[in-house]
Amino acid sequence: MLLNKRKVFKYILIITLILLIIVLVFRNLPRHRPAPQITSDFSIKSYQVQVGENFSKLLKRAQIPLFLADQLIKLLSQSKFNFYAISPTDTLKVYYQNDSLIKIQYIKNSFTIYNFDIDSNDIKYSMLYKVLNRQTELVKGEISSSLYESMLKIGEKPTLIANFADILSWDIDFFTETHNQDSFFVLVEKIYEEDNFINYGRIYAVRYKGKIGDICGYYYKDPNGNQDYYDNKGQSLRKAFLKAPLRYSHISSTFSRGRYHPILKIVRPHRGIDYVAPAGTPVSAIGAGTITYVGWKGGYGRLVEISHGNRFKSRYGHLRAFGKGIRSGQRVAQGQIIGYVGSTGLATGPHLHFELVQNGSWVNPLKIIPPRAEPVKPQFVNQYLIHKDSLYKKMNSY
């Protein structure tokens, strides 16, 4: 019995050794393995130009290596690229393959692409132009609520609305003087890439017809290079002063020789206009001039005073804050933001107290008719009238 057990143990041991040898042999045999997969990791990063950002800062934000950034700037300088004309409508695109930078594109206003192909740190520069179709069209419609909503409703973009309003802003306050069923017309160039709308070009003519009147404007550039929008007689649509210094909801107090003051509880002159508007509403200079006062001034609270150099001064009171960089002695342009609506000083709520002083005396801003900018020069009037008539006929032909 003992002998049989020894034989069994011997056989088991032999079988185990054979299996071990087989495992070791197969383990060392060459095996077919699939070839390693080479992945191609392709990516694009886009960087929209930020307000106030220059080209160098844009490249730095996009993490472009310094030596490549220097080459890009050098190539663009040689192509007479205008570094001062970059805007928030421009985009920088950076292309990567397997974490290596292979291409950089600077897309300028959707029309022109500055293309840089990068190979082993060598840059090849080229210009790409989109094929654009430009055509002059007439945009027209009626006011149903506001100019903004009415133009959006017929498919136009905020850019056109703003430009149209800017051209007529000296004659019409589009926040208070529009009425339902007033009509508007804009003869404008539209730019397409194939059938896709890209942007607006030049506005050639505008017209607004309603309770406020029938106001027209035509773009004209004379042989000397002077350009502007003019009315039917060649007078500039621009005036020395804007119609209002801000976008407001209503006028709470008008110019008066005697008004009961809600805080002081006395009757005294109200030498300006109170425009009610939400706190923080931007306040603009009604005309170009020099700032003569910035600071706190009694019941006015925070006040800005501007001398316009033509016997006029304008004053803006109860401001919550002053505009960026606004200080005494600074020149400001018409429409430049000088502050923001607040309720500082003797004010019952957020509003702008606006005053206009002429030759040292307060005047009612709503009754002042400011002078217009330069009209068409006399030697070009006949040429302008022919040009104006052709635009008028073109508007009617649509």
Side-chain angles (χ1 to χ4, degrees), residues 59-74:
L59 295 178
K60 185 177 181 180
R61 181 161 61 90
Q63 297 181 335
I64 304 300
L66 186 59
F67 71 94
L68 284 179
D70 289 341
Q71 289 185 59
L72 257 67
I73 292 173
K74 183 179 179 180

PDB file of all heavy atoms in Angstrom, residues 59-74:
ATOM      1  N   LEU A  59      -1.008  88.349 -27.669  1.00  0.00           N
ATOM      2  CA  LEU A  59      -0.127  87.206 -27.909  1.00  0.00           C
ATOM      3  C   LEU A  59       0.333  86.581 -26.590  1.00  0.00           C
ATOM      4  O   LEU A  59       0.440  85.353 -26.476  1.00  0.00           O
ATOM      5  CB  LEU A  59       1.082  87.639 -28.736  1.00  0.00           C
ATOM      6  CG  LEU A  59       0.811  88.108 -30.171  1.00  0.00           C
ATOM      7  CD1 LEU A  59       2.101  88.557 -30.842  1.00  0.00           C
ATOM      8  CD2 LEU A  59       0.137  87.015 -30.997  1.00  0.00           C
ATOM      9  N   LYS A  60       0.578  87.420 -25.606  1.00  0.00           N
ATOM     10  CA  LYS A  60       1.004  86.911 -24.295  1.00  0.00           C
ATOM     11  C   LYS A  60      -0.117  86.120 -23.640  1.00  0.00           C
ATOM     12  O   LYS A  60       0.106  85.049 -23.059  1.00  0.00           O
ATOM     13  CB  LYS A  60       1.434  88.083 -23.401  1.00  0.00           C
ATOM     14  CG  LYS A  60       2.001  87.644 -22.062  1.00  0.00           C
ATOM     15  CD  LYS A  60       2.479  88.850 -21.257  1.00  0.00           C
ATOM     16  CE  LYS A  60       3.061  88.396 -19.916  1.00  0.00           C
ATOM     17  NZ  LYS A  60       3.532  89.561 -19.114  1.00  0.00           N
ATOM     18  N   ARG A  61      -1.358  86.638 -23.737  1.00  0.00           N
ATOM     19  CA  ARG A  61      -2.514  85.927 -23.164  1.00  0.00           C
ATOM     20  C   ARG A  61      -2.743  84.590 -23.852  1.00  0.00           C
ATOM     21  O   ARG A  61      -3.184  83.626 -23.230  1.00  0.00           O
ATOM     22  CB  ARG A  61      -3.767  86.823 -23.260  1.00  0.00           C
ATOM     23  CG  ARG A  61      -5.021  86.207 -22.680  1.00  0.00           C
ATOM     24  CD  ARG A  61      -6.061  87.265 -22.397  1.00  0.00           C
ATOM     25  NE  ARG A  61      -6.481  87.975 -23.582  1.00  0.00           N
ATOM     26  CZ  ARG A  61      -7.497  87.594 -24.357  1.00  0.00           C
ATOM     27  NH1 ARG A  61      -8.191  86.519 -24.049  1.00  0.00           N
ATOM     28  NH2 ARG A  61      -7.833  88.306 -25.409  1.00  0.00           N
ATOM     29  N   ALA A  62      -2.419  84.538 -25.155  1.00  0.00           N
ATOM     30  CA  ALA A  62      -2.566  83.290 -25.911  1.00  0.00           C
ATOM     31  C   ALA A  62      -1.379  82.344 -25.706  1.00  0.00           C
ATOM     32  O   ALA A  62      -1.336  81.274 -26.308  1.00  0.00           O
ATOM     33  CB  ALA A  62      -2.728  83.601 -27.398  1.00  0.00           C
ATOM     34  N   GLN A  63      -0.423  82.760 -24.854  1.00  0.00           N
ATOM     35  CA  GLN A  63       0.756  81.947 -24.508  1.00  0.00           C
ATOM     36  C   GLN A  63       1.605  81.615 -25.744  1.00  0.00           C
ATOM     37  O   GLN A  63       2.145  80.509 -25.874  1.00  0.00           O
ATOM     38  CB  GLN A  63       0.325  80.664 -23.787  1.00  0.00           C
ATOM     39  CG  GLN A  63      -0.374  80.949 -22.470  1.00  0.00           C
ATOM     40  CD  GLN A  63      -0.779  79.686 -21.725  1.00  0.00           C
ATOM     41  OE1 GLN A  63      -0.974  78.640 -22.318  1.00  0.00           O
ATOM     42  NE2 GLN A  63      -0.905  79.796 -20.406  1.00  0.00           N
ATOM     43  N   ILE A  64       1.735  82.588 -26.656  1.00  0.00           N
ATOM     44  CA  ILE A  64       2.626  82.422 -27.803  1.00  0.00           C
ATOM     45  C   ILE A  64       4.056  82.652 -27.326  1.00  0.00           C
ATOM     46  O   ILE A  64       4.341  83.670 -26.685  1.00  0.00           O
ATOM     47  CB  ILE A  64       2.280  83.438 -28.923  1.00  0.00           C
ATOM     48  CG1 ILE A  64       0.810  83.310 -29.321  1.00  0.00           C
ATOM     49  CG2 ILE A  64       3.187  83.245 -30.127  1.00  0.00           C
ATOM     50  CD1 ILE A  64       0.411  81.962 -29.852  1.00  0.00           C
ATOM     51  N   PRO A  65       4.981  81.711 -27.601  1.00  0.00           N
ATOM     52  CA  PRO A  65       6.375  81.896 -27.172  1.00  0.00           C
ATOM     53  C   PRO A  65       6.927  83.241 -27.640  1.00  0.00           C
ATOM     54  O   PRO A  65       6.594  83.714 -28.731  1.00  0.00           O
ATOM     55  CB  PRO A  65       7.106  80.727 -27.847  1.00  0.00           C
ATOM     56  CG  PRO A  65       6.052  79.670 -28.021  1.00  0.00           C
ATOM     57  CD  PRO A  65       4.777  80.430 -28.294  1.00  0.00           C
ATOM     58  N   LEU A  66       7.769  83.834 -26.822  1.00  0.00           N
ATOM     59  CA  LEU A  66       8.263  85.182 -27.076  1.00  0.00           C
ATOM     60  C   LEU A  66       8.968  85.305 -28.421  1.00  0.00           C
ATOM     61  O   LEU A  66       8.750  86.272 -29.153  1.00  0.00           O
ATOM     62  CB  LEU A  66       9.197  85.616 -25.941  1.00  0.00           C
ATOM     63  CG  LEU A  66       9.680  87.068 -25.994  1.00  0.00           C
ATOM     64  CD1 LEU A  66       8.500  88.024 -25.962  1.00  0.00           C
ATOM     65  CD2 LEU A  66      10.626  87.353 -24.828  1.00  0.00           C
ATOM     66  N   PHE A  67       9.797  84.297 -28.788  1.00  0.00           N
ATOM     67  CA  PHE A  67      10.538  84.419 -30.042  1.00  0.00           C
ATOM     68  C   PHE A  67       9.582  84.338 -31.246  1.00  0.00           C
ATOM     69  O   PHE A  67       9.803  84.997 -32.265  1.00  0.00           O
ATOM     70  CB  PHE A  67      11.626  83.341 -30.134  1.00  0.00           C
ATOM     71  CG  PHE A  67      11.114  81.943 -30.350  1.00  0.00           C
ATOM     72  CD1 PHE A  67      11.012  81.408 -31.617  1.00  0.00           C
ATOM     73  CD2 PHE A  67      10.723  81.182 -29.251  1.00  0.00           C
ATOM     74  CE1 PHE A  67      10.544  80.124 -31.807  1.00  0.00           C
ATOM     75  CE2 PHE A  67      10.254  79.896 -29.436  1.00  0.00           C
ATOM     76  CZ  PHE A  67      10.153  79.358 -30.718  1.00  0.00           C
ATOM     77  N   LEU A  68       8.490  83.560 -31.127  1.00  0.00           N
ATOM     78  CA  LEU A  68       7.493  83.511 -32.205  1.00  0.00           C
ATOM     79  C   LEU A  68       6.702  84.816 -32.258  1.00  0.00           C
ATOM     80  O   LEU A  68       6.390  85.321 -33.335  1.00  0.00           O
ATOM     81  CB  LEU A  68       6.553  82.335 -32.000  1.00  0.00           C
ATOM     82  CG  LEU A  68       7.088  80.948 -32.346  1.00  0.00           C
ATOM     83  CD1 LEU A  68       6.034  79.894 -32.063  1.00  0.00           C
ATOM     84  CD2 LEU A  68       7.512  80.882 -33.814  1.00  0.00           C
ATOM     85  N   ALA A  69       6.361  85.352 -31.085  1.00  0.00           N
ATOM     86  CA  ALA A  69       5.630  86.626 -31.026  1.00  0.00           C
ATOM     87  C   ALA A  69       6.424  87.737 -31.702  1.00  0.00           C
ATOM     88  O   ALA A  69       5.865  88.557 -32.443  1.00  0.00           O
ATOM     89  CB  ALA A  69       5.320  86.983 -29.575  1.00  0.00           C
ATOM     90  N   ASP A  70       7.732  87.767 -31.465  1.00  0.00           N
ATOM     91  CA  ASP A  70       8.581  88.783 -32.096  1.00  0.00           C
ATOM     92  C   ASP A  70       8.564  88.644 -33.623  1.00  0.00           C
ATOM     93  O   ASP A  70       8.507  89.640 -34.349  1.00  0.00           O
ATOM     94  CB  ASP A  70      10.013  88.658 -31.578  1.00  0.00           C
ATOM     95  CG  ASP A  70      10.143  89.113 -30.137  1.00  0.00           C
ATOM     96  OD1 ASP A  70       9.246  89.838 -29.670  1.00  0.00           O
ATOM     97  OD2 ASP A  70      11.134  88.734 -29.482  1.00  0.00           O
ATOM     98  N   GLN A  71       8.596  87.390 -34.114  1.00  0.00           N
ATOM     99  CA  GLN A  71       8.571  87.167 -35.567  1.00  0.00           C
ATOM    100  C   GLN A  71       7.237  87.596 -36.161  1.00  0.00           C
ATOM    101  O   GLN A  71       7.189  88.199 -37.238  1.00  0.00           O
ATOM    102  CB  GLN A  71       8.826  85.682 -35.869  1.00  0.00           C
ATOM    103  CG  GLN A  71      10.261  85.225 -35.601  1.00  0.00           C
ATOM    104  CD  GLN A  71      10.481  83.793 -36.039  1.00  0.00           C
ATOM    105  OE1 GLN A  71      10.299  83.447 -37.204  1.00  0.00           O
ATOM    106  NE2 GLN A  71      10.861  82.937 -35.087  1.00  0.00           N
ATOM    107  N   LEU A  72       6.144  87.276 -35.448  1.00  0.00           N
ATOM    108  CA  LEU A  72       4.802  87.667 -35.925  1.00  0.00           C
ATOM    109  C   LEU A  72       4.704  89.187 -36.065  1.00  0.00           C
ATOM    110  O   LEU A  72       4.239  89.711 -37.088  1.00  0.00           O
ATOM    111  CB  LEU A  72       3.735  87.175 -34.947  1.00  0.00           C
ATOM    112  CG  LEU A  72       2.940  85.935 -35.339  1.00  0.00           C
ATOM    113  CD1 LEU A  72       3.846  84.713 -35.356  1.00  0.00           C
ATOM    114  CD2 LEU A  72       1.777  85.712 -34.394  1.00  0.00           C
ATOM    115  N   ILE A  73       5.122  89.884 -35.022  1.00  0.00           N
ATOM    116  CA  ILE A  73       5.039  91.351 -35.026  1.00  0.00           C
ATOM    117  C   ILE A  73       5.911  91.937 -36.133  1.00  0.00           C
ATOM    118  O   ILE A  73       5.517  92.889 -36.816  1.00  0.00           O
ATOM    119  CB  ILE A  73       5.440  91.899 -33.638  1.00  0.00           C
ATOM    120  CG1 ILE A  73       4.373  91.506 -32.602  1.00  0.00           C
ATOM    121  CG2 ILE A  73       5.606  93.420 -33.687  1.00  0.00           C
ATOM    122  CD1 ILE A  73       4.738  91.831 -31.176  1.00  0.00           C
ATOM    123  N   LYS A  74       7.084  91.340 -36.345  1.00  0.00           N
ATOM    124  CA  LYS A  74       7.984  91.825 -37.405  1.00  0.00           C
ATOM    125  C   LYS A  74       7.351  91.647 -38.785  1.00  0.00           C
ATOM    126  O   LYS A  74       7.363  92.559 -39.619  1.00  0.00           O
ATOM    127  CB  LYS A  74       9.320  91.078 -37.331  1.00  0.00           C
ATOM    128  CG  LYS A  74      10.348  91.558 -38.347  1.00  0.00           C
ATOM    129  CD  LYS A  74      11.669  90.798 -38.199  1.00  0.00           C
ATOM    130  CE  LYS A  74      12.681  91.269 -39.233  1.00  0.00           C
ATOM    131  NZ  LYS A  74      13.965  90.529 -39.097  1.00  0.00           N
TER     132      LYS A  74
END
